[in-house]
Amino acid sequence: MDKRMTVDEAVAEVTDGMTIGFGGWGSRRKPMAFVRALVRKGVKDLTVVSYGGPDIGILCATEQLKKAVYGFVSLDSIPLEPHFRKARQNGAIESVELDEGMFLLGLRAAAQRLPFLPTRAGLGSDVLKINPHLRTVTSPYEDGEELVAVPALNVDVAFIHMNRADAAGNGQALGRDPYFDNLFCMAAKKAFMSCERIVSTDELVAGGPLQSLLINRMMVRGVVEAPGGAHFTECPPDYPRDEKLQREYAATGKDEEAWNAFRAKYLDVTESDYQNAVSR
Amino acid sequence: MSRSDLTRADVCVLAIAECFRNDGEIMVSAMGTSPSLGARLAKSTFEPDLLMTDGFNLLLRKALPLGVEPSDRDVEGWMPFGAVFDTLWWGRRHVMMGASQIDQFGNQNIACIGRWEKPKAQLLGVRGAPGNTINHVTSYWVPNHNARALVAKVDMVSGVGYDRAAALGPKASRFHEIRRVVSNLGVFDFNTPDHRMRLVSLHPGVKLEQVIDSTGFELVIPDGLDATPVPTPEQISILRELDPQGYAQKEVVE
């Protein structure tokens, strides 16, 4: 089985108005090659479901994002995401802001094809006020406890980035935190995985403990070899976050001219031109 | 190290450490510099059973100095985000978060300033605050105590306070506890009949009027107010070892 393709072939599956899920967390192992391909493609009115970082920020800046579904949006070493902030403060986007744990349960519900999963998280907080679509559910057992029913976060297309994969779509996360990329794939109608290197299945299995084989080939429709595909976010052990480029990106939040220059240099270019421009 | 170079930051860090006293074998998640140092002091001295991470996903056997990368020999376990959520829903966790705003019942806001629909300032988002506060013990750290941070009403309730918890009834609120608030001026708790915030102690050198003037609501002020304990020479020398660069010193406004 061979599911190899290019980022642009994968992104061709995305059309205006779709709901997109991005794996990773904050500014960690984000599928940035796919984000850049989405910018090149120019699809609009996207709903983005993400433990948010520059994926949400960039698509805010390019005005392709209509609605963000998140628990936070952060660049980690720079706590506040400047383009997301700007979009929120200008009232330019719709938002569904959830507790981080509620967000996880929403992904799990979608992966399990359930309408919702119950939790205490959210009770008493303004998360219920700002999300009037959220409902509570009463335990059918003797305790009768009232809980938040977190609705499934169903996604049309999910994008994730792994350290290694084989051509069939088995994927390996070699960093210390797998995040929830498997759930994003299972919450989606279609999922695509980029990776630092496509290797033989033998090499994949030998390349790390079995527990690192987070993605199996059922979960993904396509595999893209994209070295530096998470850059400028971190992708350990292959590379740390490019703090310098992240600072450069963050500084464009308050300066239209700087943003246009950043976009021209790093986004309105092919993936290989991007990788050359940031060559490490 | 002599007592004469004792700083306000040292007093704050000890007060933070005291929040974790008697917590035993649970995970402490301390967000930010002073909370992280305080938790490390607690683990290094009177609460050795605490579980703590490197700030990411490694559980460490002992408290390392701020900024020191753990080696394999420092690791005792693994705590990726998936396990953090399981642990917090399990309840075996005490988190110390920051608060952009906090009110008299301990409702906390880290999400945004102004109307949520179109905020004046977008901050972090609610992050894990709603789930943390309803599932396990929470404390707060406010490094710059002023009336814009300690407010009559927060703009967006991220972390749940006592009035909101009480309104949920005893079942839903049975795991809710805001243990303490430590600021650069004093220590506060909610051990009052209606769980309104109470001044527990003033840091040495802080005047009561200063705290009252810097707080946007009426604090409960008990009779016979104590001064916040200062670290012993032994605790000071441990603090200097745990923060050789003095990061915590830069965080506190004196």
Side-chain angles (χ1 to χ4, degrees), chain B residues 47-79:
Chain B
E47 280 306 311
D49 292 344
L50 294 176
L51 283 79
M52 283 171 52
T53 70
D54 60 345
F56 296 95
N57 38 52
L58 300 176
L59 287 167
L60 302 183
R61 288 173 229 187
K62 64 181 178 67
L64 297 178
L66 293 177
V68 169
E69 286 293 317
S71 73
D72 287 350
R73 289 177 52 235
D74 298 317
V75 177
E76 67 168 346
W78 188 42
M79 188 59 67

Side-chain angles (χ1 to χ4, degrees), chain A residues 2-61:
Chain A
D2 190 343
K3 293 181 188 160
R4 285 177 291 179
M5 57 172 65
T6 66
V7 272
D8 294 303
E9 283 167 346
V11 159
E13 299 284 337
V14 178
T15 54
D16 291 352
M18 273 190 173
T19 297
I20 306 299
F22 290 118
W25 177 286
S27 187
R28 309 176 198 185
R29 198 158 47 68
K30 279 286 168 184
M32 297 299 284
F34 285 123
V35 173
R36 289 186 282 269
L38 286 166
V39 172
R40 282 195 300 276
K41 186 174 158 71
V43 275
K44 297 189 304 285
D45 298 328
L46 299 176
T47 293
V48 174
V49 177
S50 175
Y51 283 109
D55 47 352
I56 286 185
I58 286 173
L59 293 172
C60 283

Side-chain angles (χ1 to χ4, degrees), chain B residues 45 97 144 239 245:
Chain B
T45 53
M97 293 185 277
N144 186 7
L239 275 178
Q245 314 291 327

Side-chain angles (χ1 to χ4, degrees), chain A residues 25 71-72 80 85 88-90 95 97-101 104 120-121 123-126 130 143 145 176-177 180, chain B residues 57-58 78 80-81 85 116 118-119 121-122 124-128 130-131 134 156-157 160 164 171 174-175:
Chain A
W25 177 286
F72 62 86
L80 305 178
R85 286 194 92 188
R88 285 275 294 138
Q89 291 167 193
N90 291 339
S95 294
E97 183 168 322
L98 302 170
D99 167 81
E100 292 170 8
L104 171 55
R120 264 180 215 104
L123 290 174
S125 79
D126 277 349
I130 62 170
D143 57 271
E145 203 169 330
R176 287 171 181 168
D177 199 321
F180 304 100
Chain B
N57 38 52
L58 300 176
W78 188 42
F81 284 118
F85 289 121
W116 179 85
K118 192 183 174 202
Q122 173 66 38
L124 293 169
V126 294
R127 295 221 66 150
I134 207 71
M156 198 278 182
V157 176
V160 178
R164 294 285 193 108
K171 261 181 201 154
R174 67 192 188 275
F175 305 121

Side-chain angles (χ1 to χ4, degrees), chain A residues 144-188:
Chain A
E145 203 169 330
E146 193 185 17
L147 300 162
V148 176
V150 184
L153 291 174
N154 292 297
V155 163
D156 292 313
V157 182
F159 294 108
I160 63 169
H161 185 78
M162 291 283 122
N163 298 93
R164 306 283 175 273
D166 66 12
N170 297 300
Q172 185 172 48
L174 292 172
R176 287 171 181 168
D177 199 321
Y179 310 119
F180 304 100
D181 291 24
N182 53 335
L183 293 179
F184 274 99
C185 293
M186 295 161 85

